[in-house]
Amino acid sequence: MLGAAGPFLRPQGRAWLERSAGGRREGARAAGAARVPSSAAAPEERRRRVAPLEAAAPAEAGEEPLLWGIFEIGKRSCDVALSARRLRWSPILPESPTGDSSTALQAQEEIIEMKDVFSVKLKRRRFAGQKKGGTLLGITIFKCLNKEENKLTDCAIHLNNLSEDHCHSWFKHLKEILNGFQNRPKSLKVFVNPSSHKREATHVYYEQVAPLFKLADIKTDVTVTEYEGHALAVLKECELQTFDGVVCVGGDGSVSEVAHGLLLKAQIDAGKDTDYIPAPVKAPIPLGVIPAGTTNILAHTLYGIQHAVTAALHIVLGHIQPVDVCTFSTPSKLLRFGFSAMFGFGARTLALAEKHRWMPSNQRKDFAFVKTLADLKPEECELSFLPLQIPQEDSQENDRKKKEKIKKKGSKDQWHKIQGHFLNVSIMAIPCLCSMAPRGLAPNTRLNNGSMALIVVQNTSRTEFIKHLKRYTSVKNQFNFPFVETYTVQEVKVQPRLKNGPDAKENTYLNGASAEGNYPWNIDGDLMKEASEVHVRLHPQLISLYGVNTDDLESLQATCNCI
């Protein structure tokens, strides 16, 4: 085990680094770390015996070393350097018996990016039952490691040194660097839906997620929901300014409720009329999603995988993405904030599944899908949509104002209408990735590109419709059918045509409409029924979610072999 090796503060230039590096390493060897006579070796020889840390290279922003020191890492004495951006170390190599530097083995330098470190702890040896104190052994650094298929995991790196002063100085600097990452939460409001999927959400949170939050020194206030709408009721009364973020542990339905509650609370705090919100204010704090439900489309879209530890680490590291949100409203009231919706086949499938909640989740989904497909019937409705308007920059202020006036004046004429019988209508502001649709249900949209995808499946045969559905599971274009139309829009209105006469009763049973004429909507996996026209508006970057841009996920590679 290494003895004391005092830390060095900010170096003052390249020459200082070269002089101090030799003296420091020689001092450490004289102290017993590696016995090398300091008087017999020139600075050049000493640099050859120690694997170089390239400290003499021109420093980039954040690369200027803050500390140098000697630690034992993986049973090898190492020369360690800390900067604001990186922690770097290289093993101290044994001196050649003949003094010939050509025989010295070159050890590979190890580097950790500080942005991947989420916790640092002092490492102590304690007796059984001892809770405080103990013999200091060194420092343990916890970092996030990128694995295959977008999966993240945590690993620990032990820097061993018996010097109290040395370790405390390093610990202080490491903590200061971690505290400098502004997006990392310190306090979280957590909602856990114990009924999600196979009642696994509580186990997932307390066994996989809570330990990571505790390790990262994140304080949590946990609410285990007891009924549908419980999270919404709590959020309406919650003082959001006391938290850095909100986390939901559950499936898409639970997340939809929490997201709606978070945004609704923001409107209440801003003094907005919650029945009519043409221009809602943004959510004040981010939302984190821990996948633990039957469907986890939003989590898959944010993380590229359905993995609770991956989701927790994105939250701990403060990875934040602004995300577009839709408002779903009738002419008289706001129905919901949401990210995606389906009307027709997707909604009727969910409505039938909800009627069979007594069945196991997977069996319920399969039964509802097959039954709805067997009773495949189109919905007669009118669709009105406003295509996405791409703004054009103009250097002349007067011309710009003139164009805005023309656009406002002619906004009614820009609406497009289509009428007919449709098997399914999808309105999606996010790609909606899932295991069954690796490219996404709406692959042409993004998390925050300021547009919605309107996907209309017109009436066709059951065989052709099944071909269309199968395309979602492959890399082929699922929209390359004559009965499928896609549009990039910013607003949509859906007006169902209620049937009258002898076919009305049969239509009510087959299409999932209630006796009052309410038609089902699947909004983020949550069932809603509405008879009147539903107006869907897009609001760019209305909420921030913990996660990453899935377009960049595949480029992430593992960069550290933890010891």
Side-chain angles (χ1 to χ4, degrees), residues 152-347:
L152 302 183
T153 187
D154 60 298
C155 64
I157 301 163
H158 304 284
L159 280 62
N160 298 320
N161 191 303
L162 297 181
S163 169
E164 289 268 357
D165 293 340
H166 186 47
C167 289
H168 279 289
S169 178
W170 275 75
F171 178 78
K172 177 184 176 181
H173 279 79
L174 287 165
K175 291 290 288 186
E176 287 177 354
I177 293 173
L178 296 187
N179 291 334
F181 294 106
Q182 297 181 354
N183 288 335
R184 298 191 177 185
K186 300 298 182 184
S187 177
L188 293 171
K189 176 62 184 176
V190 181
F191 292 95
V192 180
N193 181 3
S195 300
S196 290
H197 195 33
K198 300 177 181 178
R199 302 184 181 274
E200 296 175 344
T202 305
H203 173 80
V204 166
Y205 176 72
Y206 285 107
E207 297 296 326
Q208 302 181 40
V209 178
L212 289 174
F213 287 170
K214 182 179 180 180
L215 193 61
D217 298 322
I218 298 175
K219 297 179 181 179
T220 57
D221 180 13
V222 181
T223 296
V224 179
T225 58
E226 300 176 0
Y227 54 88
E228 184 178 354
H230 187 185
L232 177 60
V234 172
L235 281 169
K236 284 183 177 181
E237 304 298 328
C238 183
E239 296 296 333
L240 294 179
Q241 64 270 20
T242 62
F243 301 101
D244 298 319
V246 175
V247 174
C248 178
V249 186
D252 287 330
S254 304
V255 175
S256 176
E257 179 183 330
V258 173
H260 173 68
L262 182 59
L263 285 165
L264 196 62
K265 174 62 174 176
Q267 313 314 309
I268 294 173
D269 291 345
K272 295 274 188 176
D273 181 3
T274 55
D275 286 334
Y276 178 70
I277 314 177
V281 298
K282 294 184 178 180
I285 55 178
L287 170 63
V289 181
I290 305 294
T294 305
T295 58
N296 302 282
I297 288 178
L298 185 57
H300 201 123
T301 303
L302 289 168
Y303 314 125
I305 191 173
Q306 298 181 33
H307 188 240
V309 171
T310 296
L313 287 172
H314 280 300
I315 295 171
V316 167
L317 293 173
H319 295 161
I320 292 178
Q321 281 290 313
V323 178
D324 299 340
V325 179
C326 303
T327 51
F328 299 86
S329 58
T330 66
S332 60
K333 65 177 180 178
L334 172 72
L335 296 176
R336 193 86 174 197
F337 288 97
F339 304 97
S340 64
M342 285 187 284
F343 177 79
F345 178 81

Side-chain angles (χ1 to χ4, degrees), residues 401-559:
K401 291 182 179 180
K402 183 178 179 180
K403 288 183 177 181
E404 288 182 354
K405 290 180 180 179
I406 294 174
K407 181 179 177 181
K408 291 179 180 179
K409 183 178 180 181
S411 60
K412 293 184 178 179
D413 298 332
Q414 295 172 355
W415 283 86
H416 296 191
K417 290 186 178 181
I418 53 176
Q419 296 181 358
H421 293 78
F422 307 108
L423 291 178
N424 192 70
V425 177
S426 298
I427 306 168
M428 300 184 173
I430 61 175
C432 294
L433 304 179
C434 63
S435 57
M436 296 300 295
R439 295 179 65 245
L441 301 178
N444 295 329
T445 190
R446 294 295 180 267
L447 288 173
N448 48 28
N449 65 349
S451 69
M452 295 185 295
L454 172 62
I455 305 167
V456 180
V457 181
Q458 298 183 5
N459 191 21
T460 187
S461 67
R462 184 180 292 105
T463 302
E464 290 298 308
F465 185 65
I466 291 174
K467 289 181 181 179
H468 162 65
L469 295 179
K470 285 184 175 180
R471 285 279 185 92
Y472 281 98
T473 63
S474 68
V475 296
K476 295 182 180 180
N477 185 359
Q478 61 263 43
F479 308 132
N480 190 21
F481 291 94
F483 54 86
V484 179
E485 298 177 3
T486 61
Y487 305 92
T488 302
V489 301
Q490 52 188 351
E491 291 187 48
V492 180
K493 296 179 181 178
V494 180
Q495 176 64 65
R497 298 289 186 181
L498 298 179
K499 290 187 177 182
N500 297 316
D503 295 335
K505 186 175 181 180
E506 179 183 3
N507 182 74
T508 297
Y509 171 75
L510 294 178
N511 291 356
S514 68
E516 293 78 16
N518 291 331
Y519 282 78
W521 280 80
N522 181 342
I523 301 179
D524 296 328
D526 202 10
L527 180 65
M528 294 191 67
K529 291 189 176 183
E530 185 60 41
S532 61
E533 175 186 87
V534 174
H535 188 177
V536 186
R537 292 186 180 93
L538 180 78
H539 304 280
Q541 303 184 17
L542 193 62
I543 194 172
S544 293
L545 301 181
Y546 288 107
V548 293
N549 189 335
T550 49
D551 292 339
D552 301 331
L553 282 174
E554 296 302 330
S555 62
L556 299 178
Q557 299 292 332
T559 57

Side-chain angles (χ1 to χ4, degrees), residues 14-28:
R14 174 174 177 172
W16 189 95
L17 283 172
E18 293 180 346
R19 293 195 302 271
S20 63
R24 181 176 58 260
R25 291 163 185 155
E26 197 62 33

